Amino acid sequence: MPADRAPRAGFLRAAAALLVLTALASCTSNADDGGPGDTAASAAGAVRLPPVHAGFDYQIGGAYPPPSGVRIVARDRGADPARGLYNICYVNAFQAQPEEQDDWPEDLLLRDGEGELVIDTDWDEPLLDIGTPAKRERVAARVGRWIDGCADKGYDAVEPDNYDSYTRSRGLLGADDATSFIRLLSTHAHARGLAIAQKNTVELAGQRVRAGLDFAVVEECGAYDECGEYADAFDDRVVVVEYTDEGMRKARAGFGDRLSIVRRDLAVSTPDSDDYVRRTR
């Protein structure tokens, strides 16, 4: 869910990719909750994986002091991480924020056959054009600078949003474009010592190893009966945000003893807002 929020040289990327594949093989065999200190090998040495079945807060709409019991927090890349917790850095990687659209080169914004921008109408965000290897490299270079910012601030992981943008591309992009692009981001994140999350996109959960992804951040898997597919693909390293009471009930009934689940308001607002909702039961 969107909020107000340089790849390595070729031979380094190839070396990193080989090491990341080795790391993923190790990660998938260890589903025990070793706590926030859990580590997995990566191109840069070690990335920290989120603890399993831990207190979680989703703060991409604005940072505030985490409630008692929270061990994992997700915040927008513009915010600082929360001291002493497992911190996930949100970046909008597949679409352009409306206020940042003019910052993107025109040819990196996806256009249809008539030259019109392809827009995610829910958020008024133009899709980024990741339809060729050359364009994927250029978009990844820009997003990579945001990932660098997350690493420099001390985050533990990065959450690239809108992995499923290809489903809104009017057939101009495909699943292979999405997985090829996120693989570039995974290699870069691992090289900076960050774990990387799959955001939603249950249909690509089976591509986890190819994509180089370590855990999942998912919205409304309870509401859409998808939690089990993510849990199986990511060995229960899944943090869940539900936006309705019914979705929360279903998520907790099926996976309350396995996954990290929180109920938030749709705007993921701060506690000083009248719309603020945060529950764990």
Side-chain angles (χ1 to χ4, degrees), residues 69-80:
V70 169
R71 294 171 64 195
I72 306 170
V73 64
R75 289 178 171 175
D76 181 76
R77 64 183 174 88
D80 291 329

Side-chain angles (χ1 to χ4, degrees), residues 31-150:
D32 295 334
D33 180 6
D38 240 8
T39 60
S42 82
V47 298
R48 300 177 65 207
L49 298 181
V52 172
H53 187 224
F56 172 50
D57 198 11
Y58 204 49
Q59 298 187 2
I60 68 170
Y64 52 87
S68 176
V70 169
R71 294 171 64 195
I72 306 170
V73 64
R75 289 178 171 175
D76 181 76
R77 64 183 174 88
D80 291 329
R83 182 173 299 181
L85 303 182
Y86 188 93
N87 287 274
I88 303 168
C89 187
Y90 174 99
V91 298
N92 193 1
F94 289 76
Q95 300 181 179
Q97 303 285 123
E99 69 276 11
E100 296 178 350
Q101 177 178 327
D102 291 341
D103 296 336
W104 285 91
E106 286 290 319
D107 69 321
L108 292 184
L109 300 176
L110 187 66
R111 296 179 182 275
D112 62 20
E114 297 180 354
E116 297 296 321
L117 290 175
V118 179
I119 304 290
D120 176 350
T121 55
D122 286 340
W123 301 100
D124 194 30
E125 294 182 347
L127 273 63
L128 299 175
D129 190 347
I130 56 170
T132 68
K135 287 188 175 183
R136 287 193 286 272
E137 292 277 354
R138 291 172 61 204
V139 176
R142 297 173 68 92
V143 177
R145 291 194 288 272
W146 299 342
I147 292 173
D148 290 339
C150 296

